[in-house]
């Protein structure tokens, strides 16, 4: 039985619900039922476009007074700290008085509070009939600066989708080696490096490959971008992330894309594919086992619909 050490909360637009669900399955090995959930696995909210914050539980009590008594009894001490109410986005009878609750907790923590740039962030919240206190980690949105990369294409996938592909490929385990064998200008590479992965890219078009390198250098990232064909790669990887070009794909009319998939099979244990068409029949003919999949749209109208396929090799 898992020990529930953390509370996570999520936020996503309805058209990205499937994308969020597949990411949660990849990171936590569980099905998403609510936008608030308890988990044993430690995942930093900033690697996901959907995770808002994480509370590392120190105390759980049935009343707020018990929470105060435990903090005082254990003499919780911190310098430059702040207490913040973790908003869960669900019905909470105590939310309107959150500032008073945070102030009360702050008064029993020994040490100097800081309200501008705290070194330690404590969190409190009320969920499922209990009070919780612990260390709060909120997501950083600094990754959105990648939208300002100097080189981009209108057909490039969005940053949120790129982050989801990384999380599906690596399952949050940054010891895994990843490759984007058709990396374009490096959108997926940027999010992989942000998350802390060992990831390389390959791009057959020399100008596009150089633009990818410029994008990485712009944000002071270091990663290998090979100019060349995927068929020339001899190394092995835990996972390949392949964003197939827009358009139809079938064994009959696109041998180039089929070659990309076959070479991804050759160099990796797992393949995460993004396609604009339903290609499950083609993947089955290549003896790929689809272990998960979803559909995502770019907006509420479902424009730029993409299919995501997670496949095991061999």
């Amino acid at each position: 039985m898992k020990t529930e050490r953390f509370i996570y909360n999520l936020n996503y637009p309805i058209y990205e619900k499937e994308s969020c669900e597949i990411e949660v399955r990849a990171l936590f090995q569980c099905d998403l039922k609510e936008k608030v959930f308890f988990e044993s696995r430690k995942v930093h909210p900033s690697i996901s476009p959907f995770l808002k914050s994480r509370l590392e539980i120190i105390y759980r009590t049935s009343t707020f007074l018990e929470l105060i008594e435990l903090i005082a009894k254990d003499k919780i001490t911190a310098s430059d700290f702040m207490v913040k109410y973790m908003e869960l986005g669900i019905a909470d009878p105590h939310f309107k008085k959150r500032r008073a609750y945070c102030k009360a907790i702050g008064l029993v923590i020994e040490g100097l509070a800081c309200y501008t740039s705290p070194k330690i962030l404590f969190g409190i919240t009320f969920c499922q009939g209990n009070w919780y206190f612990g260390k709060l980690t909120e997501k950083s949105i600094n990754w959105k600066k990648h939208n300002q990369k100097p080189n981009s294409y209108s057909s490039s996938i969005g940053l949120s989708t790129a982050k989801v592909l990384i999380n599906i490929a690596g399952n949050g385990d940054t010891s895994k080696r990843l490759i984007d064998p058709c990396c374009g200008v490096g959108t997926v590479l940027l999010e992989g490096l942000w998350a802390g992965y060992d990831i390389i890219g390959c791009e057959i078009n020399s100008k596009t490959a150089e633009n990818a390198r410029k994008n990485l250098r712009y944000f002071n990232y270091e990663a290998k971008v090979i100019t060349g064909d995927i068929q020339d790669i001899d190394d092995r990887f835990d996972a390949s992330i392949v964003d197939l070009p827009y358009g139809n794909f079938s064994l009959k009319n696109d041998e180039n894309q089929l070659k990309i998939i076959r070479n991804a099979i050759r160099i990796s244990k797992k393949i995460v594919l993004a396609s604009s068409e339903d290609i499950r029949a083609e993947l089955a003919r290549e003896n790929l086992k689809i272990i998960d999949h979803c559909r995502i749209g770019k907006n509420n109208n479902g424009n730029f619909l993409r299919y995501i396929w997670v496949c095991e090799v061999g």
Side-chain angles (χ1 to χ4, degrees):
M1 184 175 178
K2 294 190 298 184
T3 302
E4 295 176 338
R5 298 172 51 213
F6 304 98
I7 303 176
Y8 292 92
N9 59 342
L10 295 157
N11 186 43
Y12 54 83
I14 189 63
Y15 62 87
E16 289 191 302
K17 185 174 186 289
E18 284 192 45
S19 184
C20 181
E21 289 173 337
I22 197 172
E23 184 185 73
V24 167
R25 289 194 292 272
L27 291 175
F28 299 101
Q29 289 77 56
C30 69
D31 290 322
L32 179 63
K33 295 180 176 65
E34 304 287 346
K35 288 188 175 182
V36 178
F37 61 98
F38 292 76
E39 255 299 327
S40 60
R41 191 173 186 191
K42 189 175 186 178
V43 172
H44 199 290
S46 294
I47 72 166
S48 164
F50 308 120
L51 288 172
K52 289 178 61 180
S53 55
R54 178 193 74 208
L55 185 72
E56 185 172 1
I57 301 168
I58 297 176
Y59 302 123
R60 180 184 69 178
T61 63
S62 57
T63 69
F64 184 75
L65 181 58
E66 288 176 282
L67 206 59
I68 292 283
E69 290 172 346
L70 281 172
I71 294 170
K73 177 185 174 184
D74 291 345
K75 296 183 177 179
I76 298 293
T77 304
S79 59
D80 297 331
F81 73 89
M82 180 178 177
V83 180
K84 193 168 182 179
Y85 201 95
M86 184 183 186
E87 183 179 357
L88 300 180
I90 56 178
D92 180 353
H94 304 288
F95 184 71
K96 288 184 178 180
K97 296 182 179 179
R98 62 192 181 279
R99 291 184 178 85
Y101 289 122
C102 289
K103 182 178 180 181
I105 294 289
L107 289 174
V108 294
I109 295 175
E110 298 183 6
L112 186 65
C114 176
Y115 302 104
T116 52
S117 301
K119 293 179 181 177
I120 298 176
L121 187 61
F122 291 111
I124 59 170
T125 196
F126 183 81
C127 184
Q128 298 178 5
N130 289 300
W131 283 96
Y132 292 89
F133 169 84
K135 291 184 178 178
L136 182 63
T137 302
E138 297 183 310
K139 77 180 304 174
S140 165
I141 58 171
N142 285 343
W143 57 273
K144 291 191 175 182
K145 66 185 179 182
H146 295 160
N147 274 318
Q148 308 306 316
K149 58 183 179 289
N151 299 286
S152 186
Y153 296 145
S154 60
S155 61
S156 296
I157 60 171
L159 297 188
S160 292
T161 300
K163 292 177 85 65
V164 170
L165 294 177
I166 288 291
N167 289 328
I168 295 171
N171 299 107
D173 180 359
T174 55
S175 69
K176 292 183 178 179
R177 296 187 68 219
L178 309 179
I179 183 171
D180 182 349
C182 306
C183 70
V185 295
T187 304
V188 168
L189 296 180
L190 287 169
E191 301 316 312
L193 292 165
W194 166 265
Y197 282 94
D198 176 5
I199 184 170
I200 73 168
C202 181
E203 172 56 49
I204 197 168
N205 183 293
S206 59
K207 182 178 179 181
T208 303
E210 182 53 33
N211 285 338
R213 295 185 193 101
K214 288 178 181 177
N215 283 340
L216 296 178
R217 289 195 294 267
Y218 183 80
F219 297 107
N220 297 314
Y221 291 128
E222 291 185 13
K224 183 188 291 186
V225 177
I226 301 167
T227 302
D229 196 307
I230 183 176
Q231 68 183 6
D232 298 323
I233 297 173
D234 295 322
D235 207 349
R236 290 282 297 173
F237 299 87
D238 292 295
S240 291
I241 301 169
V242 183
D243 179 25
L244 294 170
Y246 283 94
N248 294 328
F249 169 73
S250 72
L251 293 177
K252 294 180 180 178
N253 64 16
D254 203 327
E255 287 298 319
N256 183 55
Q257 292 192 42
L258 182 56
K259 183 190 77 171
I260 292 170
I261 291 177
R262 286 175 175 169
N263 278 284
I265 292 170
R266 178 180 58 83
I267 64 175
S268 53
K269 304 173 187 176
K270 174 181 175 182
I271 303 174
V272 179
L273 285 142
S275 68
S276 59
E277 301 289 330
D278 187 335
I279 59 171
R280 74 186 72 205
E282 287 84 354
L283 297 178
R285 282 198 286 269
E286 294 303 311
N287 295 316
L288 284 168
K289 180 183 178 182
I290 300 172
I291 58 174
D292 208 346
H293 72 280
C294 78
R295 296 177 303 170
I296 56 174
K298 194 172 183 180
N299 55 34
N300 280 312
N301 297 322
N303 293 337
F304 299 105
L305 183 71
R306 299 291 254 189
Y307 294 84
I308 306 298
W309 312 94
V310 188
C311 304
E312 284 184 350
V313 176

